[in-house]
Amino acid sequence: MDASSVVRFSQSPAILPPEFEPDMEKIKRRLLKYGVDPTPKILKNLRRKEIQKHNRRTKRQTESETVYTKAQKQTMEEEARFETLRREYKQFTRTVPGNKSDAGGDGGLIVGNPWEGIEKVRLKELVSGVRREEVSGGKSRKENLKELKKILEQDLRWVLEDDVDVEEEYDLTARNDDVGFDPAKRWRNEGEAVRVLVDRLSSREITEKHWKFVRMMNQSGIQFNEDQMLKIVDRLGRKRSWKQALAVVRWVYSDTKRKHLRSRFVYTKLLSVLGFARRPQEALQIFNQMLGDRQLYPDMAAYHSIAVTLGQAGFLKELLKVIERMRQKPTKLIKNLRQKNWDPVLEPDVVVYNALLNACVPSRQWKAVSWVFIELRKNGLRPNGATYGLAMEVMLESEKYDRVYDFFRKMKSSGEAPKAITYKVLVRALWRENKIEEAVEAVRDMEQKGVIGTGSVYYELACCLCSNGRWREAMLEVGRMKRLENCKPLEITFTGLIAASLNGGHVDDCMAIFQYMKDKCDPNIGTVNTMLRVYGRNDMFIEAKELFEEIVREKETHLVPDEYTYSFMLEASARSLQWEYFEHVYQTMILSGYRIDQTKHVQMLIEASRAGKWSLLEHAFDAILEDGEIPHPLFFTEMLCHATAKGDYQRAITLINTVALASFQISEEEWSDLFEENQDLITQENLQKLSDYTLDCDYASEPTVLNLSKSLKSLCGSSSSSTQPLLAIDVTTQSHSEKPEEDLLLHDTTMEDETDTKSEAWEFTETELETLGLEELEIDDDEEESSDSDTLSVYDILKEWEESSEKET
């Protein structure tokens, strides 16, 4: 061993920096602080994690302190860029099909650029191969044509579809980091495919019969197994796209290749989506479909879903049938019934009975509440707080207020703690019985017992106070409500309080609350509409006009006039007989794009037309017809009276032909009442001519036209062309006064010729003249029939003749 080696081995080892050692006592104290027992295993794991954290921190500090020169940075950037290009080129070459070593030249063609999409590359490859075979005189292979067709139908969506979303497309460079990425597929993974499909379906109203729906489903690349279907239906339900969710389930399971994939859980999820969208009819159809298939037969979860949906909709009879079906065995006609001993009979639980009570609320079936509690007792079920609360609500809607208080006491005696919603029902019951002090005490009792109130309880109490003229006390309840979470916005709260004061008859309180509201928040359009209703129904037209013109002039985004704004302003103008301003508001409403509401505006338009604004009624009538709707009967009757009064009988006949084909009918009494109401505008002559024109009506056999004819005949007496014989004539009195008869009739006929050339004398046959003793009178066959209402009728002539004969005798 030489000296150098001795010197080398005799050197002292390099001094290593001391290893980091965490403070174990500090770790123990932290564990004991959070109630964790510091066992050796826990301490060992925490020590290892602290050391790893320290090492990472030290490494980051060292890297940050390292300073690179400009040349080193440039070299590192070039190396990173080279690695990226090499990775992209390898990825592209692996995707190009074909064998390069094939001597025949039939392998894959290297076409296009690496940065182009794979769809364009494959299309160029196929087209180039087809053109090359055409130039060489060969025939194109069917495989190439089929593959080209597949690309055009599936991959090249940008060519065939006009509603492409750019966000759905992903370039090749964004997917290079995925290990198992196949460029022939469109999406990254299953979750992305489901998300894109849900977004595309929910963006439009589409059903399974639409060709775009079928293409979306086929292009998604999803297998539509149970897990995927649950995700799709659930996400469509969250987007409130129940039609698309229903279409997806129908389309997937209508395919014969996927019938074996049908799942009860998917249909149950669909029931919950339809229930959330308040579609009880569609949910009932799906439930009946489940009852007819062994593979889809409903379980308790499905019964819960359909029961809650029917209960919220108030379908009591259908829900009772569902409960009855739960206790019955399935029929023999059920599909896929293979197990002989299969027995899916179930008994209703508390959820189903609560849904039944909920269905009794709109129909006010208060007797069903006792039956529900009897059934619960028979089945050994204990009512919960929701059961008592729903029973109280049923009794409240049925106006059985004593029973509301009874169920509230039973709820407390059974050990169930009343919730805030229960106190809301109690306050409303006390409000309806005008027990204001008791309602206030009930809310204070709720606060003392530690029940966390909701905004609806304080809002209900505030409305109760406002309806009784105690709006200042109601403001205190609003202050308590503001401190709670998830309460109504102040704008909606104050609007409800104003409406409650109006219903209670406290108009001054309404204006006081409105002024108080302006200091707390900005009124919205709902508040403005409520104040317009207050002003309009209390003859305060000037205040309503100022408020309306203010919101129209300012044009703020939260105060855009809607259909209710114009409707209340029209009502205020009509009540004050301000027809000029009524016309101005009507024109503004039409120019703003709003249509006529026949249930609200028809009577006001008729009153405006009678006040001289006839053009408004005609415009509304034409607008309703252009929208494809049937105008209200009052439109037809008012326009018919106006046309008759003006002598426009052609217009009247057109209206009669139109109303004859309408879905409604007008009785004879209604026609008679109409003409009697308008007797100051329509004369007897107008009615007589209208009766003559109705004979030429195209739909004279329709009930409405027949009733009109009967009414006109009863009002006009006999028709103008009457030729019926006179039956009620006393022959024994004819010979006593022949001269007065002759003079009377001669005078009558001469008066007709002198006064009205268009009128005509009554025609008598020879037999009638002999009967009257007037055989010396000549009969003029060329004279036209008279329609003048001033001309005496035959019965008037006979009456005068009888009176004159009695005087002479």
Side-chain angles (χ1 to χ4, degrees):
M1 183 177 295
D2 54 0
S4 61
S5 61
V6 173
V7 173
R8 184 171 61 249
F9 283 105
S10 63
Q11 292 178 354
S12 61
I15 300 175
L16 298 175
E19 294 184 359
F20 172 76
E21 187 66 27
D23 189 356
M24 302 305 297
E25 294 296 330
K26 184 177 180 180
I27 295 175
K28 289 180 181 179
R29 288 195 300 269
R30 188 164 63 247
L31 291 175
L32 292 173
K33 180 180 179 181
Y34 292 101
V36 181
D37 187 15
T39 61
K41 185 176 180 179
I42 296 176
L43 293 175
K44 181 179 179 181
N45 292 334
L46 293 178
R47 177 181 177 276
R48 185 177 68 254
K49 289 183 179 180
E50 290 291 335
I51 293 175
Q52 292 175 355
K53 187 188 300 183
H54 174 75
N55 294 337
R56 289 195 299 269
R57 188 183 303 110
T58 305
K59 185 177 179 181
R60 284 196 301 269
Q61 293 177 357
T62 304
E63 292 179 353
S64 61
E65 294 174 358
T66 305
V67 179
Y68 296 100
T69 63
K70 186 175 182 181
Q72 290 176 342
K73 291 181 179 180
Q74 184 177 1
T75 303
M76 293 172 61
E77 291 176 358
E78 291 178 354
E79 290 179 355
R81 183 179 180 185
F82 175 75
E83 292 294 333
T84 303
L85 293 175
R86 186 179 67 173
R87 186 169 60 253
E88 291 180 358
Y89 182 74
K90 287 183 178 181
Q91 184 70 21
F92 173 75
T93 54
R94 284 199 300 267
T95 59
V96 178
N99 186 7
K100 298 181 180 180
S101 61
D102 192 355
D106 295 333
L109 301 176
I110 305 299
V111 294
N113 299 317
W115 55 84
E116 292 181 351
I118 191 61
E119 292 86 357
K120 294 183 179 180
V121 172
R122 294 179 61 189
L123 179 61
K124 289 181 179 180
E125 176 186 344
L126 292 173
V127 173
S128 301
V130 172
R131 290 180 177 176
R132 183 184 59 195
E133 292 181 358
E134 291 178 353
V135 172
S136 61
K139 296 181 179 180
S140 59
R141 295 183 299 174
K142 293 183 178 181
E143 292 78 4
N144 289 345
L145 295 178
K146 290 181 179 179
E147 191 173 0
L148 179 61
K149 178 183 177 182
K150 186 177 180 181
I151 291 176
L152 291 175
E153 290 180 349
Q154 297 182 359
D155 295 335
L156 292 183
R157 189 164 57 89
W158 57 276
V159 177
L160 300 177
E161 192 171 352
D162 57 350
D163 54 354
V164 181
D165 297 329
V166 181
E167 292 79 10
E168 298 178 7
E169 301 296 335
Y170 301 92
D171 56 349
L172 185 63
T173 58
R175 300 184 178 185
N176 289 331
D177 297 335
D178 296 342
V179 178
F181 171 68
D182 185 5
K185 294 183 179 180
R186 183 174 297 273
W187 318 119
R188 294 175 182 265
N189 48 40
E190 175 186 322
E192 183 181 343
V194 171
R195 181 187 63 80
V196 172
L197 178 62
V198 170
D199 291 342
R200 296 185 66 191
L201 289 175
S202 60
S203 63
R204 69 202 73 190
E205 289 287 340
I206 195 169
T207 60
E208 68 273 16
K209 296 182 180 179
H210 201 280
W211 63 274
K212 284 188 178 181
F213 178 88
V214 179
R215 187 176 60 189
M216 288 179 194
M217 300 294 288
N218 290 329
Q219 289 179 354
S220 63
I222 302 176
Q223 298 179 357
F224 299 107
N225 54 29
E226 181 179 339
D227 185 53
Q228 294 171 345
M229 287 293 295
L230 288 173
K231 292 179 180 179
I232 293 172
V233 175
D234 180 62
R235 293 183 182 182
L236 287 174
R238 293 180 182 179
K239 291 179 175 290
R240 299 182 182 274
S241 302
W242 63 271
K243 291 183 179 179
Q244 292 84 334
L246 187 61
V248 168
V249 174
R250 287 177 176 174
W251 184 84
V252 171
Y253 293 146
S254 62
D255 190 2
T256 55
K257 297 180 181 179
R258 299 191 185 96
K259 279 190 175 181
H260 65 285
L261 297 176
R262 290 184 300 174
S263 172
R264 178 192 302 115
F265 305 107
V266 175
Y267 278 85
T268 304
K269 175 63 71 173
L270 181 60
L271 285 177
S272 64
V273 169
L274 295 174
F276 182 74
R278 298 294 192 270
R279 306 300 301 183
Q281 295 290 353
E282 291 79 2
L284 200 58
Q285 293 177 3
I286 296 298
F287 181 76
N288 292 331
Q289 184 179 352
M290 295 175 67
L291 290 174
D293 196 336
R294 163 69 177 85
Q295 189 175 355
L296 306 175
Y297 204 83
D299 53 2
M300 185 56 75
Y303 280 112
H304 283 176
S305 181
I306 189 64
V308 172
T309 302
L310 296 177
Q312 291 175 347
F315 286 15
L316 182 59
K317 294 182 179 180
E318 290 78 2
L319 184 52
L320 289 174
K321 291 180 181 179
V322 170
I323 295 176
E324 186 179 354
R325 192 62 183 268
M326 290 180 67
R327 298 169 172 173
Q328 295 178 354
K329 292 184 178 180
T331 59
K332 297 181 180 179
L333 301 178
I334 192 171
K335 297 180 181 179
N336 303 322
L337 184 58
R338 298 177 181 177
Q339 300 178 3
K340 295 183 179 180
N341 298 327
W342 176 62
D343 188 9
V345 176
L346 297 172
E347 284 293 330
D349 57 358
V350 179
V351 177
V352 178
Y353 284 116
N354 288 348
L356 183 61
L357 289 175
N358 197 8
C360 295
V361 173
S363 58
R364 301 179 180 180
Q365 297 290 338
W366 61 275
K367 294 183 178 180
V369 176
S370 302
W371 178 83
V372 169
F373 277 88
I374 292 173
E375 292 294 320
L376 288 172
R377 194 179 303 110
K378 286 182 180 179
N379 297 329
L381 301 174
R382 180 182 177 183
N384 54 17
T387 308
Y388 287 106
L390 289 169
M392 291 173 60
E393 194 167 352
V394 174
M395 296 302 174
L396 173 65
E397 295 299 326
S398 303
E399 299 180 357
K400 304 292 182 181
Y401 303 117
D402 294 337
R403 294 180 181 269
V404 174
Y405 311 140
D406 292 341
F407 278 108
F408 184 72
R409 287 191 292 269
K410 289 180 181 179
M411 181 179 183
K412 292 193 295 184
S413 61
S414 65
E416 294 288 340
K419 298 183 180 179
I421 188 66
T422 310
Y423 281 98
K424 175 186 175 182
V425 178
L426 182 62
V427 169
R428 184 173 296 181
L430 294 170
W431 177 14
R432 291 186 180 180
E433 285 195 309
N434 202 21
K435 298 179 180 180
I436 311 303
E437 296 299 334
E438 289 81 352
V440 176
E441 292 177 1
V443 176
R444 300 288 89 85
D445 181 68
M446 177 192 72
E447 295 173 347
Q448 292 177 1
K449 291 184 177 179
V451 179
I452 300 177
T454 59
S456 60
V457 179
Y458 293 103
Y459 174 76
E460 201 74 25
L461 180 58
C463 291
C464 174
L465 294 171
C466 286
S467 65
N468 288 271
R470 301 164 61 176
W471 72 274
R472 296 187 181 277
E473 299 179 29
M475 296 301 108
L476 300 178
E477 303 300 329
V478 173
R480 295 186 179 94
M481 185 180 64
K482 288 170 56 179
R483 296 193 293 266
L484 300 174
E485 297 181 355
N486 300 324
C487 60
K488 294 182 179 180
L490 288 179
E491 298 86 354
I492 300 177
T493 302
F494 283 113
T495 303
L497 297 182
I498 294 173
S501 299
L502 176 62
N503 295 332
H506 305 282
V507 181
D508 295 336
D509 292 353
C510 295
M511 293 183 285
I513 295 172
F514 185 62
Q515 296 298 329
Y516 181 85
M517 175 186 180
K518 292 181 179 179
D519 299 334
K520 301 297 180 180
C521 61
D522 294 330
N524 58 7
I525 193 62
T527 311
V528 173
N529 295 342
T530 306
M531 289 305 301
L532 288 177
R533 184 174 61 175
V534 172
Y535 294 145
R537 296 184 180 180
N538 293 277
D539 296 332
M540 304 173 69
F541 172 75
I542 297 177
E543 291 81 357
K545 180 181 177 181
E546 292 176 355
L547 181 60
F548 176 76
E549 291 181 349
E550 180 182 354
I551 63 173
V552 172
R553 181 176 58 254
E554 293 180 358
K555 296 182 179 179
E556 298 183 3
T557 55
H558 65 284
L559 286 177
V560 179
D562 56 6
E563 55 181 342
Y564 298 101
T565 308
Y566 293 109
S567 179
F568 288 132
M569 195 61 223
L570 288 174
E571 181 182 355
S573 302
R575 284 176 177 267
S576 302
L577 304 180
Q578 301 292 330
W579 301 115
E580 293 295 335
Y581 200 77
F582 181 90
E583 183 179 9
H584 167 69
V585 175
Y586 178 83
Q587 293 175 355
T588 307
M589 180 183 68
I590 297 300
L591 293 176
S592 300
Y594 295 103
R595 299 189 302 174
I596 297 297
D597 188 355
Q598 298 191 59
T599 60
K600 299 178 182 179
H601 301 153
V602 57
Q603 192 62 40
M604 292 187 290
L605 288 171
I606 290 175
E607 294 177 2
S609 65
R610 294 176 180 176
K613 302 299 180 181
W614 177 255
S615 60
L616 301 182
L617 186 66
E618 288 187 339
H619 178 272
F621 183 79
D622 296 338
I624 293 172
L625 291 178
E626 289 177 0
D627 293 337
E629 300 178 1
I630 300 177
H632 196 274
L634 292 178
F635 278 105
F636 290 101
T637 56
E638 186 66 22
M639 297 185 72
L640 178 62
C641 290
H642 186 270
T644 304
K646 295 296 182 181
D648 190 0
Y649 298 105
Q650 295 296 333
R651 172 70 169 168
I653 292 302
T654 303
L655 292 171
I656 292 173
N657 291 332
T658 306
V659 75
L661 300 177
S663 57
F664 55 84
Q665 294 182 5
I666 303 177
S667 64
E668 180 181 354
E669 291 77 9
E670 292 175 346
W671 283 118
S672 300
D673 296 339
L674 174 68
F675 292 131
E676 290 177 359
E677 291 176 1
N678 295 273
Q679 60 183 355
D680 55 338
L681 299 175
I682 304 176
T683 62
Q684 195 75 11
E685 180 183 359
N686 297 135
L687 294 177
Q688 185 64 51
K689 290 184 178 180
L690 180 62
S691 178
D692 295 339
Y693 273 94
T694 53
L695 299 177
D696 300 332
C697 181
D698 298 336
Y699 304 98
S701 60
E702 295 295 331
T704 301
V705 182
L706 290 176
N707 294 333
L708 174 61
S709 301
K710 293 178 182 178
S711 176
L712 291 173
K713 288 181 180 179
S714 64
L715 293 174
C716 298
S718 60
S719 61
S720 60
S721 59
S722 175
T723 57
Q724 53 185 336
L726 303 177
L727 301 178
I729 298 177
D730 190 0
V731 183
T732 59
T733 61
Q734 292 177 5
S735 60
H736 295 285
S737 57
E738 295 181 356
K739 186 64 177 177
E741 296 171 6
E742 183 177 355
D743 294 340
L744 180 60
L745 289 179
L746 287 174
H747 176 73
D748 183 69
T749 54
T750 55
M751 287 295 296
E752 289 175 353
D753 294 337
E754 292 175 359
T755 57
D756 191 0
T757 57
K758 295 182 181 181
S759 60
E760 58 192 21
W762 290 99
E763 296 180 342
F764 297 94
T765 61
E766 296 180 358
T767 306
E768 292 172 349
L769 291 175
E770 293 177 358
T771 305
L772 294 173
L774 304 176
E775 61 273 7
E776 296 179 358
L777 291 176
E778 296 182 356
I779 301 175
D780 189 4
D781 296 334
D782 298 331
E783 201 167 1
E784 296 181 355
E785 296 179 350
S786 173
S787 61
D788 192 359
S789 61
D790 297 333
T791 305
L792 295 176
S793 64
V794 175
Y795 298 100
D796 295 333
I797 296 172
L798 292 176
K799 185 177 181 180
E800 293 183 8
W801 172 75
E802 290 177 356
E803 291 177 355
S804 61
S805 62
E806 290 177 358
K807 290 179 181 179
E808 292 181 358
T809 56

